[in-house]
């Protein structure tokens, strides 16, 4: 009998012990559970994050010698397994405004402490979305103070980073490459296809990232991790979610969002949906009169009529709508395996390209209509993760993805009957295998393979709007396939707790095959092919002499292979110019170096500064060209200078990124980020011109206050002037988007905005947030942008969580 009781007691104890492995991590000040806290162990290698209830299963850390605990904005903790598994299984994290500790995945495709990365990084989490209420993901990036955003229209947002933009920056979503074969050198809007509400965290790794990601990763890698389904740690299902509604005055915005998670012990499901409706954008009251919109074109009785704008501050036409849907499923059949499937879909309505509506010809509007058709993006993504340690890996991730992109352009000259519609579709397929292995206690090696295939389809339609007759028109692109195949290996060597060496190398082969339709243009070729390779590498050093100092240095190369947009496009780049195909292209190469230092002053001040320099050789740029011996052809009803993308230039960019965070007493804090960049590009005649994508200096300074469930922020965003002489040669002719100086020349004035944001959690269910952007109602247009920025903008949002 005694033996039976003893056996029963041991079984109960074992059950209690097994159930006691669930740790809950909370905010020390409010007691609120903290989601996405990272627990990382180096020996053995393992990383996990807390769920929405702040919970995490500790069983995988039972053999760990030390567990590092990170959450951006909170003080880092280092604990043993025994520390965490004992007591009441609750850990409190202390808010810490200038914590530099965060787990960054995108630098090596595996979780690393950001201070062990030899490149400058930035991190944005969901708390920023809640407080800032960005209209789009482009605005989310811009609010960081480290990325400059250009906009040609309200439905847009093209990041500029370290003097590079568009197809010299790389986007990834849940580890899948978003860049496709028609990413152009001009400004792009693809980032708005991502739903800011559905983004769990955003990581930006500045500088070259070609070793890990291949082509295009010259200026930076922007990695977006969307919400993931959470499992239940008990026999009861874990059901939670949120619903948000938002209104903003500058665009009469009406936004709704909801997400719901249903988690079981082995299965988890997550659904996210957002709907946005934006009216015409209203600019500010105080600024250049050149920006006003005194009239617009309206179609009345089969005639384009110039109509007086009742309010010249309202930019007609700019409104549009959008919806986003995401569905994810996770399956955990055992401790070491996780399968996750994600479906993403985004679609906008048609939206006008505003800068084309303010172009004039012979004193009249150039266009009767010019708009982008619906921008559509869909992704199916299956990831398979195995955490079982073997001789080949400690963890392996395989990703299979299929994406489809559709975009179109619809234009018609003023009071002309011919409407041109050009539709482009890209079907992208990719497979990645990424492996990670610890070798001893000092070396961690990551290696992998990647294959990407893009299938490009393009068609043109010409419609006579008077007769309704539709005929075939010249397509923007040839029918083409673009492919990339890469293999990489990278190593992190921890020489000591003070000194880390990061190295890596990648070989990439890329191909392009295109077939041109000779029906509309007399090209000297009907087919074009490209088959070439690129070798890139990096060497990075991190030195931490003590807990107060961090020094980093990085040398890296990167490349961008010519894509279909480079080689095969036909379009009007600017009035009087037409870009034609050029099959004789090679990859461009970047050589970059950076030095950075961070200094902590006690637990109240952090300062950092990074300097960088990039040399771009064999740059793919637009230059004058000849087609069949002619330097001009008839295009769009006018004689136009022939141009083509060519390997015709050398470009250089250098600059600094710096900032500080100051934590004051009683919940107050001050922080700032500042960016200065200067770029130059070689011209045909051997002279140099300022680089188009090197933005003027810009930054943001914030004053914050936090008390329990209340967060307040007053910030000032600012940008420097670009005089006429500082404008790139190609921008100097665009007087329709710039202010006019005293000499009658276009220039981009300096500007600033004051912005107040607040968020208050009323109870466990409701959270209210509000803000006033551009308090002083400035009228300004960001450098190189076609649309004028919002004037004073009042934002109201209510979020209900369950």
């Amino acid at each position: 009998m005694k033996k039976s009781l003893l056996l029963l007691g041991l079984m109960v104890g074992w059950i209690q012990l097994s159930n006691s492995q669930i740790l809950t991590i909370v905010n020390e000040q409010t007691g609120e559970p903290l989601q996405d806290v990272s627990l990382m162990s180096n020996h053995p290698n393992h990383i996990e994050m807390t769920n929405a209830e702040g919970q995490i299963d500790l069983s995988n850390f039972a053999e760990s010698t030390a567990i590092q605990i990170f959450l951006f904005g909170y003080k880092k903790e280092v604990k043993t397994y025994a520390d965490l598994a004992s007591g009441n299984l609750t850990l409190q994290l202390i808010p810490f405004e200038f914590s530099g500790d965060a787990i960054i995945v995108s630098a090596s495709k595996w979780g690393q402490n950001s201070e062990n990365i030899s490149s400058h990084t930035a991190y944005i989490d969901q708390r920023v979305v809640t407080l800032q209420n960005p209209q789009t993901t482009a605005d989310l990036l811009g609010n960081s103070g480290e990325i400059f955003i250009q906009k040609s229209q309200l439905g847009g947002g093209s990041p500029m980073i370290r003097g590079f933009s568009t197809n010299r920056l790389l986007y990834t979503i849940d580890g899948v490459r978003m860049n496709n074969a028609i990413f152009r050198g001009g400004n792009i809007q693809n980032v708005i296809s991502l739903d800011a509400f559905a983004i769990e965290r955003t990581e930006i790794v500045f500088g070259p990232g070609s070793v890990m990601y291949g082509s295009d990763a010259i200026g930076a890698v922007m990695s977006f991790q969307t919400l993931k389904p959470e499992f239940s740690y008990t026999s009861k299902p874990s059901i939670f979610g949120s619903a948000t509604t938002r209104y903003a005055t500058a665009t009469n915005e009406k936004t709704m969002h909801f997400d719901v998670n249903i988690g079981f012990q082995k299965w988890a499901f997550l659904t996210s949906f957002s709907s946005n409706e934006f009216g015409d954008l209203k600019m500010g009251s105080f600024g250049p009169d050149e920006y006003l919109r005194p009239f617009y074109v309206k179609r009345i009785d089969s005639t384009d009529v110039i109509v007086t704008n009742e309010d010249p501050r309202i930019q007609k036409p700019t409104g549009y709508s959008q919806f986003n849907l995401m569905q994810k499923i996770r399956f955990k059949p055992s401790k070491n395996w996780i399968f996750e499937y994600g479906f993403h879909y985004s679609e906008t309505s048609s939206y006008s390209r505003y800068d084309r509506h303010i172009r004039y010809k012979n004193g009249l509007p150039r266009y009767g209509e010019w708009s982008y058709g619906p921008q559509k993006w869909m992704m199916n993504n299956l990831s398979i993760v195995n955490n079982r340690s073997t001789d080949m890996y400690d963890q392996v991730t395989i990703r299979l993805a299929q994406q489809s992109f559709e975009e179109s352009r619809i234009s018609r000259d003023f009071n002309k009957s011919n409407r041109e519609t050009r539709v482009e579709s890209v079907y992208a397929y990719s497979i990645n295998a990424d492996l990670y292995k610890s070798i001893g206690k000092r070396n961690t090696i990551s290696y992998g393979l990647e294959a990407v295939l893009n299938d490009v389809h393009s068609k043109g339609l010409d419609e006579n709007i008077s007769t309704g007759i539709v005929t075939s028109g010249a397509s923007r692109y040839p029918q083409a396939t673009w492919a990339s195949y890469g293999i990489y290996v990278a190593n992190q060597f921890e020489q000591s707790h003070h000194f880390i060496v990061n190295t890596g190398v990648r070989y990439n082969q890329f191909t392009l095959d295109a077939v041109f339709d000779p029906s509309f243009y007399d090209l000297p070729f009907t087919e074009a092919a490209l088959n070439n390779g690129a070798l890139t590498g990096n060497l990075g050093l991190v030195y931490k002499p003590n807990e107060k100092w961090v020094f980093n240095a990085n040398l890296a190369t990167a490349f961008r292979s010519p894509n279909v947009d480079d080689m095969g496009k036909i379009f009007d780049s600017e009035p009087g110019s037409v870009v034609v195909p050029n099959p004789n292209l090679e990859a461009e190469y970047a050589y970059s170096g950076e030095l950075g230092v961070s200094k902590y002053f006690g637990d109240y001040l952090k300062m950092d500064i990074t300097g960088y320099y990039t040399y771009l050789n064999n740059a793919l740029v637009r230059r004058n060209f000849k087609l069949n011996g002619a330097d001009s052809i008839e295009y769009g009803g006018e004689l136009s200078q022939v141009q083509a993308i060519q390997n015709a230039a050398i470009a250089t960019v250098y600059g600094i990124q710096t900032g500080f965070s100051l934590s004051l007493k009683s919940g107050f804090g001050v922080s700032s980020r500042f960016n200065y960049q200067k770029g130059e590009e070689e011209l045909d005649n051997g002279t140099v011109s300022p680089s188009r994508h090197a933005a003027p200096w810009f930054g943001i300074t914030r004053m914050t206050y936090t008390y329990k469930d209340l967060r307040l922020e007053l910030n000032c965003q600012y940008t420097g002037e670009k005089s006429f002489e500082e404008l790139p040669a190609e921008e100097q002719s665009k007087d329709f988007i710039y202010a006019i100086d005293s000499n009658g020349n276009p220039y981009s004035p300096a500007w600033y905005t004051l912005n107040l944001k607040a968020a208050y959690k009323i109870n466990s269910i409701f959270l209210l947030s509000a803000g006033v952007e551009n308090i002083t109602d400035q009228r300004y247009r960001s450098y190189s942008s076609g649309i004028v920025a919002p004037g004073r903008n009042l934002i109201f949002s209510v979020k209900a969580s369950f």
Side-chain angles (χ1 to χ4, degrees), residues 289-307:
D289 289 342
E290 297 92 337
Y291 295 168
L292 293 172
R293 179 72 161 150
F295 54 81
Y296 60 96
V297 175
K298 187 174 182 179
R299 189 77 172 171
I300 301 176
D301 295 331
S302 302
T303 303
D304 291 330
V305 178
I306 298 175
V307 177

Side-chain angles (χ1 to χ4, degrees), residues 367-497:
Y367 296 101
E369 56 181 299
W370 209 114
S371 63
Y372 289 108
Q375 178 173 293
K376 302 176 184 179
W377 171 67
M378 182 183 72
M379 180 170 77
N380 292 279
N381 178 22
L382 174 65
S383 67
I384 304 169
V385 180
N386 179 244
N387 289 305
R388 184 179 181 182
S389 183
T390 69
D391 292 339
M392 295 292 294
Y393 61 83
D394 293 329
Q395 182 173 318
V396 58
T397 299
I398 297 174
R399 291 186 180 88
L400 302 167
Q402 179 270 332
Q403 298 178 79
S404 63
F405 305 81
E406 182 180 308
E407 58 185 54
S408 55
R409 293 159 179 80
I410 305 160
S411 63
R412 182 179 56 80
D413 288 351
F414 184 72
N415 267 328
K416 300 294 184 181
S417 297
N418 187 53
R419 175 189 289 145
E420 297 181 348
T421 300
R422 303 295 180 259
V423 182
E424 288 77 53
S425 300
V426 179
Y427 301 94
Y429 309 89
S430 63
I431 180 170
N432 295 74
D434 300 298
L435 301 93
Y436 178 86
K437 179 66 180 176
S438 289
I439 302 175
K441 292 187 176 181
R442 294 187 176 184
N443 276 292
T444 53
I445 186 170
S446 56
Y447 59 102
L449 303 167
E450 178 186 63
V452 179
L453 175 67
N454 282 194
D455 190 11
V456 178
H457 298 266
S458 183
K459 66 179 180 180
L461 298 173
D462 292 340
E463 178 186 1
N464 186 311
I465 62 173
S466 298
T467 64
I469 297 175
V470 179
T471 59
S472 296
S475 63
R476 180 179 172 92
Y477 297 114
Q479 311 308 307
T481 57
W482 178 91
S484 170
Y485 310 95
I487 181 171
Y488 75 90
V489 60
N491 184 69
Q492 183 175 90
F493 174 61
E494 189 173 347
Q495 192 271 337
S496 68
H497 293 301

Side-chain angles (χ1 to χ4, degrees), residues 238-384:
S238 176
I239 302 175
F240 59 88
S242 67
T244 302
T245 182
R246 184 174 68 211
Y247 175 78
T249 59
T251 57
N252 196 27
E253 175 195 355
K254 304 177 186 69
T255 288
M256 294 182 292
H257 166 80
F258 77 85
D259 58 79
V260 59
N261 185 101
I262 302 175
F264 303 93
Q265 290 178 309
K266 291 185 179 293
W267 290 89
F269 307 86
L270 183 140
T271 301
S272 172
F273 177 82
S274 295
S275 173
N276 313 90
E277 183 179 327
F278 306 103
D280 292 328
L281 177 61
K282 187 172 185 178
M283 66 182 78
S285 301
F286 307 102
D289 289 342
E290 297 92 337
Y291 295 168
L292 293 172
R293 179 72 161 150
F295 54 81
Y296 60 96
V297 175
K298 187 174 182 179
R299 189 77 172 171
I300 301 176
D301 295 331
S302 302
T303 303
D304 291 330
V305 178
I306 298 175
V307 177
T308 299
N309 194 355
E310 294 182 358
D311 185 348
R313 292 168 55 201
I314 295 179
Q315 301 172 80
K316 293 178 177 287
T318 51
Y320 76 103
S321 61
Q322 179 174 345
F323 74 89
N324 287 74
L325 173 66
M326 182 178 75
Q327 179 65 57
K328 285 190 173 184
I329 303 171
R330 287 179 91 194
F331 174 51
K332 189 175 184 179
S334 67
K335 177 180 177 180
N336 296 318
W337 288 94
I338 294 181
F339 296 78
E340 181 175 312
Y341 167 74
F343 171 79
H344 303 255
Y345 186 80
S346 173
E347 182 174 341
T348 70
S349 65
S350 296
Y351 52 91
S352 295
R353 179 166 172 177
Y354 183 73
D355 62 342
R356 296 299 175 102
H357 285 268
I358 57 175
R359 284 167 60 165
Y360 302 94
K361 182 179 179 181
N362 299 326
L364 294 173
R366 174 71 172 81
Y367 296 101
E369 56 181 299
W370 209 114
S371 63
Y372 289 108
Q375 178 173 293
K376 302 176 184 179
W377 171 67
M378 182 183 72
M379 180 170 77
N380 292 279
N381 178 22
L382 174 65
S383 67
I384 304 169

